[in-house]
Amino acid sequence: MQYKIENNIKHEWKLLLQNNTKLNNLNAINNFLIASRKSEKNIFPKINNIFRSLSFSAPKDINVVIVGQDPYHSYGQANGLAFSVNEGIKLPPSLKNIYKELKNDLGIKESENGNLESWAKQGVLLLNTILTVEESKPGSHQGIGWEEITDCFLNNIGNTGSVVFILWGVKAQDKENLIAKKNNLIIKSPHPSPLSAYRGFFNSKPFSRTNEFLKSKGKKAINWNIPS
């Protein structure tokens, strides 16, 4: 029996796709990934981590969405959570800058641990708009169907309000029109990449602004500390 990537999607998320007739996209993506593996291409993240960002909370339990572009394309980095790497992996430059802003914003010490799972467990959805990539080829899986899948998620999260959407960089901000504006907060700034972080990412204070909004809505603030 041929493996299907949709087997790793939790029921609540799959229901969103089913209700919006997006499940056919998954079949096309699945076939593309099968062909890529047969061609001996390295695809990241590992197949069982492609939908890892969806595994921690149901759509109705998401408090914060941080939108990334596509997974890290270097070997051993992508772990299924946008901007995150597993513990023990050298921090990518964008994540280093995220930690710098975290320290500037909330005084939290910069960590050497790049695993953002502790955020995900609090209802922070770390969602790349494209969920796979070929090794050493950033953006290589644009246009294979992922955008329609993640657009569907962004379009449905926050319909009940009280969700913070953090859009770093132009690619993420292109998704703003998908997001329900009523009773939600959208935070926009340049990308944390070294190429753009000094153009307004630093001192944008996304973490404190997020917590202030959540508390104003009667929700629990996010503990942004990263375990050592």
Side-chain angles (χ1 to χ4, degrees):
M1 183 176 177
Q2 185 66 61
Y3 182 84
K4 291 190 175 182
I5 54 173
E6 69 180 72
N7 295 345
N8 278 337
I9 306 180
K10 294 186 78 171
H11 173 72
E12 299 94 333
W13 294 97
K14 190 182 291 187
L15 198 59
L16 285 183
L17 298 177
Q18 183 176 314
N19 290 343
N20 290 274
T21 65
K22 301 298 181 185
L23 283 177
N24 285 339
N25 290 67
L26 286 180
N27 292 328
I29 294 168
N30 195 70
N31 291 336
F32 178 92
L33 296 178
I34 289 170
S36 296
R37 288 198 297 274
K38 285 181 178 177
S39 301
E40 298 185 349
K41 295 176 180 177
N42 282 335
I43 305 299
F44 304 136
K46 293 179 180 179
I47 194 165
N48 59 324
N49 282 332
I50 291 174
F51 294 107
R52 185 168 173 233
S53 62
L54 309 179
S55 66
F56 296 91
S57 301
K60 64 181 179 61
D61 297 321
I62 296 297
N63 298 309
V64 182
V65 183
I66 298 179
V67 181
Q69 186 174 347
D70 61 351
Y72 295 124
H73 57 87
S74 296
Y75 186 85
Q77 288 188 322
N79 69 4
L81 304 178
F83 297 104
S84 174
V85 295
N86 287 335
E87 189 171 357
I89 301 296
K90 183 179 178 181
L91 299 185
S94 292
L95 185 53
K96 283 185 178 180
N97 284 338
I98 290 170
Y99 284 174
K100 286 179 182 177
E101 178 58 19
L102 187 56
K103 182 179 180 182
N104 173 64
D105 188 2
L106 294 175
I108 292 174
K109 181 181 177 181
E110 294 174 47
S111 178
E112 293 298 320
N113 175 14
N115 191 347
L116 304 180
E117 186 174 307
S118 63
W119 295 0
K121 289 178 177 177
Q122 299 174 74
V124 178
L125 178 63
L126 297 157
L127 182 70
N128 283 313
T129 57
I130 301 164
L131 298 185
T132 55
V133 69
E134 184 180 339
E135 183 174 12
S136 302
K137 294 185 178 181
S140 52
H141 287 184
Q142 290 181 25
I144 71 168
W146 283 129
E147 292 91 342
E148 289 81 5
I149 299 294
T150 55
D151 283 0
C152 176
F153 294 151
L154 290 171
N155 192 231
N156 283 276
I157 297 167
N159 283 340
T160 55
S162 304
V163 177
V164 180
F165 292 85
I166 299 177
L167 309 180
W168 287 331
V170 174
K171 292 287 187 181
Q173 290 168 26
D174 284 345
K175 303 297 182 180
E176 184 178 2
N177 66 320
L178 299 169
I179 297 168
K181 308 296 190 299
K182 188 175 181 181
N183 298 321
N184 294 316
L185 174 66
I186 298 174
I187 297 175
K188 299 185 290 184
S189 79
H191 195 274
S193 160
L195 296 174
S196 56
Y198 287 94
R199 299 175 188 165
F201 172 76
F202 289 132
N203 207 38
S204 61
K205 301 188 180 301
F207 308 103
S208 60
R209 290 165 65 191
T210 293
N211 281 352
E212 288 166 8
F213 177 83
L214 292 177
K215 288 188 286 188
S216 76
K217 298 295 184 180
K219 287 188 168 185
K220 188 176 181 181
I222 302 300
N223 177 2
W224 297 105
N225 283 281
I226 303 295
S228 299

